[in-house]
Amino acid sequence: MSSTPNIAARSRFAPSRDAMQALYRLLAVALLCIALTALSDVFFTTNNILNVLRQTALLFLMASGLTLVILTAGLDLSVGANIALSACLAASVIKATGSPLLGIATGIGCGAAIGFANGILVTALRIPSFIATYGMMWMLTGITYYYMAGDTIHGFPPEFRQLGSGYLLGVPMPVYVMVLFLLIGWFFAQRTIWGQQIYAIGANPVAARLSGVPVERRLVLVYAVSGAMAGLASLIILARINSAQGDIGEELTLPAIAAVLVGGTSLFGGSGSVAGTLIGALFLTLVLNGMNLLQIHSSWQPLVTGVIILLAVWIDNRTRRSDA
Amino acid sequence: MSAHKLTPASMSLARVPGVAIVLAILCATFGVMSPGFVTPANISNILSQSTILLLLALPMTLIIMTEGLDLSMGAVLTLASIALAITVVATGSATLGFLAALTVGFCFGLGNGVLIAALDIPPFITTLGTLGIAQGLSLLATDGQSVVGLPRSIEVIYSGSAAGIPLPVVIAALAYALTYALLYHTRFGTYVFALGGNREALKLAGISVRGMLIRVYVFGGLMAGFAALLMTARLNSAHPTAGIGMEFDAIAAIAVGGTSFERGNGWLFGTLLGVIAVGVLRNGLNLLAVPSSAQVTCIGAIVIIALFIDGLRGDR
Amino acid sequence: MASGSVVSEAPNGAARIAGVPLFELRGISKAFPGVKALDDVSFDIRSGEVHMLVGENGAGKSTLMKVLCGAYRADSGSFFYNGEPVTIDDPAAARQFGIAVIFQEFTLVPYLDIAQNIFLGREIPGRLPGFIDQRRIHSEAKRVLDLIGFDIDPHLPLHRLGVAQQQMVEIAKALSQDARILVMDEPTAALSDRETERLFAMIKRLKDSGVAIVYISHRLGEVFALGDRITVLRDGRKIASVLPAETTPDQLVTLMVGRPVDTTYTRASRPVPGKVALEVTNLSGPSGFSDINLTVRAGEIVGLCGLVGSGRSEVARAIFGADRITAGEIRLFGEPIGASPEESVRRGMALIPENRKTQGLALNRSVSDNIILAGLRKLFPSGLYVPRRAIKAARAIIDKLRIATPTPRRAVATLSGGNQQKVVIGKWLNADARFFIFDEPTRGIDVGAKAEIFRLLDHLVHDGAAVLMISSEQIEIVHICDRAYVMRGGHIAGELAHHELTEANIVRLGIHQ
């Protein structure tokens, strides 16, 4: 192989399409920041920036697990309902035992168990993921409301509340959690063979199976991880707002899906990344935060989120088609 | 598409008893456990309450037959109901209100259809997005409050009766007859079967697959507009969360009714029985004072079990 | 092609059928990337005749048929209807001339009834707009079904019908369009003897009523029983057009084979077979094969041939653990195997699948990602993935197989067919596989790449690996394999030792006589 075609190809194809796409997304985030700074006096203040980061952290934690699911060309519509149930159970345990650690274990364990159940529905029972997790969403919502019976659990030990509202070196605690899980997520997806297998499953499940990838076990793992991340996010919310109610995660599923899709993970599987989801989460938080600052009514939020989801999928469709 | 591994007669025979048995068991159980269940008033009540669900479940059956899904139906129903109420309050004309509801349904149906058929966005994500949009518009239009002050003429549509039969039941019966005729006796219905069963055959026959898909979703939107009329009349008001999640009950009714989610096979009468089964379940649990949250859990479990059984049938 | 042109055209034979042909194709050529599917083929069809079209897999029969019905556009050539020049560039144009095709893949909708299927897209309007006159389409359907002697209630939903009955519906559908030219692609493949007889009776009736029939078949018996004329295609060229009375089945087989050797690779030496690598006993499965017995030894390349649809790929998939089996045993290097592809891969088995794009490759992933996929566990026993090491391993394979890619990070979709196939093979080299199943390894790749793949096969067996190779190209089997099994209708029809391994023997065993 001579070096000439090498150079020609590199100049034609570098920087890679993925890198360019990430660049566009960062550009969009930067433009959004500039616009918000110009439009609002409050945006570029330490307080608001920290607030944005905290919200981004929360959205990212939910969306990072969901990213893995969408990488396999699946979907998890139950993350919001999962958060509600995990938060309520964790809150009860903390209240009953006074132990934050037991509460954390409950929240994450409950989330993971729900995700595991989703994985079983999708693999062993072969129900399409969007409908299985949709059924799961309503079951969980029902269980949560039944369990809470309209009550609110509030007032948690201060050391637990640190998780959501505390600061370390002037930076909110959730941001540290976010960075930690960004690294873990990146490591899992990019630096383990399971991550490689997950990408392969999303790109072509038939070829993956015929290459010896244990497709079903990996799928169960991915749904369980998504559930566990929802459980973790529920704890952050709990610690932040210091109370648990039945409707706690209700409005979080759509933004989480939007964050993943805006972050460049394809609904059709096989391409995208956890780091992209961070950009997506930041973008979505900025949009919602900006609407808040500009005193746009919160009723616009589901509408804007819906439009963002449709646009993101449409753009992904177009880039995929121009590739083909 | 040629290798149908189904053994002859396996489908319809295995299915007819399924939903009928579920319905019979539900009726027997509630009949024994709750004295108020088998009374003319309660039965009439169940039927009336099931009508709104039926108006959604009928088009949803067709949509699911095309291997699609419409998660936005409950939110569109809500928005159409709000549009109806606001128009009636503003103009005093029930006709204009009804037209407003139908327009909302039509626009969302068309939007869903175009996004799915022309832009190739998967149905579940398309309708998830339009669900958000419809929900947002509902909140915006009402500021989260109920729209009240409707004239008696609207309420009568739900509470009135013709020849001793409750009006909503009459409307639902007409809707069922219309959908039945569409599905089994028109070209449109024939192509709905082909959209799910063998799209390639439809293309080779020279029919526009996109055009047909769009029509299916428009039909869904229009029926949601119709259902909005009944729902508004029943509540005598419109509320931005009134119809949220209705599509889930519709999906449950269809799954129980034996329509397949993967093979382009639908059974309209099964959907009718499924709707009544969901209605009986909700009514019976209400009589037994089971909170609605637990009812939702029941229905969620029913959907998953029905889909699992559907999957098993497909394997044979 | 000199040998072919000697017998071609059979001028006296053609002259004996009088009159202007109903439809004529002249000088049709059609190329696909890397393959010339049709090369200057002329073909005519007359009213009231059954024109048999025969040839091996890949000879160009299907392509010719698709050109005729407007599904493909020919690159060059012209069409004549009743002697008048016409154009056919889409299915609608073909339908105008009364051309109807019965494809092997059914165009039927499972949950519509028979009549609705027959009239799909051509429904008879009822009184109300948009409505269908159900009574009339059912009575019309009944009439067409009676015409072909198929006694069945047109109200029956299609999914209740067996494959043979569906085939009859497909025939009725074509006939209901008032076809003047009816093209049938192996219509008896799914039919029982009785149904076949009925179909033949119907064909004779249609013929008498003046319909022209093009009939594609692999069964020499029916070629001679039904045909008024026989046209042989080979490698996209018309080899001969003969009358059944003037030829014999043996002569026909000779015309069909004799494909020129298009490989530049010859095996210089063949290793002495070693221990048994794969042993399959009495294997049966639900995907349509039964009682399969075969062995492959280390150092051997064993062919598995037969017509498309004879069950070759299904057997391969079952051996690999990808499909369920109902009976029998598979042993790999002496130990039972067959639970899952995962186990097969771990135990050193490799499958190079029939369709590399849908089964072999994650197309939008990189060359490197694809190459290391099957060998991830071996390459990274700790479970930690090191990109540098992955790229290095991929580079080694790229160099070894001379895969033409500027960088291992390039998406596999951008490579040529031959290089994509090498990536699939490379995946298994990287996984240290010892037993390879190659399913149509040379499909859709150019001559040079074919030779490279054969060289590779040779190297593999010289290194002590064992190979089972499926190919529709008989010449490849003859050229490369040490021996071969021939499949027919889901069974092993026979085994050919090296000295018996000729194209004619393969065709004789594989074709229904």
Side-chain angles (χ1 to χ4, degrees), chain B residues 6 184-185 187 190-191 198, chain C residues 108 111 123 130 132 134 160:
Chain B
L6 295 169
Y184 295 109
H185 289 287
R187 297 163 64 107
T190 304
Y191 302 152
N198 191 342
Chain C
L108 302 172
Y111 295 101
E123 292 83 2
I132 300 170
Q134 296 284 9
R160 297 230 200 143

Side-chain angles (χ1 to χ4, degrees), chain A residues 1 5-6 9-10 12-13 187 190-197 199-200 203-204 206-214 217-218 269-271 320, chain C residues 317 320-322 341-342 345 351 353 357-362 364-365 369 372-374 376-377 380 383-385 387 403-406 410 427-428:
Chain A
M1 170 105 345
N6 230 327
R10 200 162 291 165
R12 232 173 59 222
F13 287 92
F187 183 80
Q190 312 297 333
R191 288 292 184 273
T192 68
I193 65 174
W194 299 283
Q196 293 298 304
Q197 291 175 335
Y199 275 100
N204 187 343
V206 178
R209 177 165 178 261
L210 292 180
S211 300
V213 175
R217 291 212 303 277
R218 291 298 169 268
S271 74
R320 281 158 42 90
Chain C
R317 287 177 56 88
F320 192 64
E342 191 194 339
V345 172
L351 173 69
K357 285 192 172 152
T358 60
Q359 304 171 322
L361 294 168
N364 62 5
R365 306 270 290 150
D369 291 336
I372 60 158
L373 183 58
L376 276 172
R377 272 269 166 228
F380 308 104
L384 297 185
Y385 172 82
I403 298 172
T405 177
R410 190 74 179 271
K427 172 163 79 180
W428 297 110

